[in-house]
Amino acid sequence: MTAAAGRLDGNTVLVPAPLGSRLHTRHLVGTLGPKGLRLSLVEAAWCVMGDRLKMEGDATAADLLARGDAQTEAEHLVYADLRERGLVVRHAGASLAVLPRGAGLDAAPLYTVRPFSERTFLSAADLLGCVGGIVAVADDDGAVTHYKIEASAPMGNHPVGKLPVATGRPLRDRVLVEDGDVRQAWQGEGIGVAHGSGFVLSLVEAEHLRRRGVLKLPSSRAPSPDLARLVAVHEAVRATGALCKSGFKFGTHFRAYRDDPDEAHAEWLIQAIGSDDTMAWSDLSRAIRLAHGVRKTLLLALAGKKVAFLSLSWFRP
């Protein structure tokens, strides 16, 4: 049985008193004002779909959602998912605030949730704007998956030290160092892979060592923007004392170790993202699931003027 009647007022719904007051008290929705209860389109659609609210002119939930912008549909699906979990939720602009159980809508939130559609492409700015909160992704079936985004850098026990100088021979995709006398010192920083009496470096490692002044090359040229970004992330990882190796076998740019790679497993998988890059949620979902499956933490390394590390992990509301 319907509990109230509402009418559209711009891109909100107004439910006059006293019906609005009862709807607000019983279902913890909207904001009470002198004219009655004001609901967002998301809240109103949830009320209509649950037969909690009847609209003037018999407007349906679909009619209400169609009046919103591109995000309204995802916001509604996430709002409904949280409410079905028995949570108290306040719709506040582009975010949803989850409040303590038993608290009113004026309580300080436990955390905020930013809704996205599966088809959304994320920029570095989008990700940075979600740090410390929860993102919720509505897929094409309407199911919702929640992720926590935190500022979190790798940490290791191998600070950058002083290395002996050697000369390298550039190949197409790597650099060969035939001076076996430096191998032990260099591999103490997780650099290079043994090859005969010498060892090979990735282009990222070679550029990192060239910048440190310990690798001499017959000639050098400016790295491409993609390589420069990877080198910046590699250097940022090393600056934390962690050791950095290729992440190809896990589908990421790097994997990082707290201790010696020969004696420990990698704890982090790292994907480098440029400040102008975008990512699809399907790619992130795949990376998060893989990292969880191999008991590692997925880090996105946002490479701008400085490198910012963000961890993404599943979250249960």
Side-chain angles (χ1 to χ4, degrees):
M1 182 175 179
T2 57
R7 62 178 176 82
L8 281 165
D9 185 16
N11 274 344
T12 62
V13 168
L14 187 64
V15 184
L19 299 178
S21 297
R22 291 203 292 268
L23 184 66
H24 176 79
T25 300
R26 182 173 181 181
H27 297 292
L28 294 174
V29 291
T31 302
L32 284 173
K35 294 182 179 180
L37 177 68
R38 191 168 298 278
L39 302 173
S40 70
L41 295 175
V42 166
E43 293 171 314
W46 179 75
C47 289
V48 169
M49 292 185 75
D51 201 29
R52 304 172 184 88
L53 173 69
K54 180 176 177 61
M55 293 293 298
E56 290 181 357
D58 292 326
T60 66
D63 294 329
L64 295 171
L65 295 175
R67 294 179 65 91
D69 59 22
Q71 276 291 98
T72 303
E73 186 176 338
E75 290 172 10
H76 167 70
L77 290 169
V78 174
Y79 180 87
D81 174 82
L82 294 170
R83 293 302 303 253
E84 287 167 7
R85 295 170 186 266
L87 300 172
V88 180
V89 186
R90 182 173 65 241
H91 185 211
S95 297
L96 304 172
V98 176
L99 310 178
R101 296 181 187 273
L105 288 174
D106 294 329
L110 295 172
Y111 53 87
T112 60
V113 179
R114 185 171 174 185
F116 289 93
S117 166
E118 172 191 343
R119 298 185 176 275
T120 303
F121 284 84
L122 293 168
S123 67
D126 290 328
L127 290 165
L128 286 171
C130 297
V131 173
I134 308 300
V135 295
V137 186
D139 66 22
D140 286 350
D141 292 333
V144 178
T145 305
H146 300 262
Y147 301 105
K148 179 185 292 187
I149 299 184
E150 298 177 291
S152 178
M155 296 296 292
N157 299 319
H158 298 269
V160 175
K162 186 176 181 180
L163 296 178
V165 178
T167 299
R169 180 180 177 183
L171 305 177
R172 178 179 293 274
D173 294 321
R174 50 194 52 81
V175 172
L176 175 63
V177 177
E178 297 176 288
D179 184 354
D181 293 338
V182 304
R183 186 166 74 181
Q184 183 175 358
W186 284 23
Q187 291 189 326
E189 288 198 19
I191 296 170
V193 175
H195 184 74
S197 60
F199 54 101
V200 292
L201 308 172
S202 70
L203 293 180
V204 171
E205 291 173 320
E207 178 62 14
H208 167 64
L209 293 174
R210 188 192 67 80
R211 292 185 183 187
R212 286 173 62 178
V214 298
L215 176 64
K216 295 180 178 180
L217 298 172
S219 62
S220 61
R221 58 184 178 181
S224 68
D226 287 343
L227 180 59
R229 179 176 64 201
L230 294 178
V231 172
V233 172
H234 184 281
E235 291 177 340
V237 173
R238 286 297 296 119
T240 70
L243 301 181
C244 196
K245 304 294 287 184
S246 169
F248 175 79
K249 64 179 66 177
F250 298 106
T252 57
H253 288 124
F254 300 109
R255 65 191 195 273
Y257 296 78
R258 188 181 301 273
D259 290 303
D260 187 343
D262 292 332
E263 299 178 1
H265 293 289
E267 295 185 33
W268 303 275
L269 300 180
I270 301 173
Q271 186 71 10
I273 308 295
S275 57
D276 296 327
D277 289 351
T278 58
M279 293 191 70
W281 269 114
S282 56
D283 293 333
L284 284 172
S285 174
R286 185 183 309 114
I288 294 168
R289 178 172 290 277
L290 187 148
H292 179 81
V294 294
R295 299 182 180 180
K296 304 184 193 307
T297 299
L298 176 67
L299 298 180
L300 296 182
L302 308 184
K305 292 182 179 180
K306 294 183 178 180
V307 175
F309 292 100
L310 304 180
S311 68
L312 280 79
S313 58
W314 280 326
F315 177 79
R316 184 184 297 275

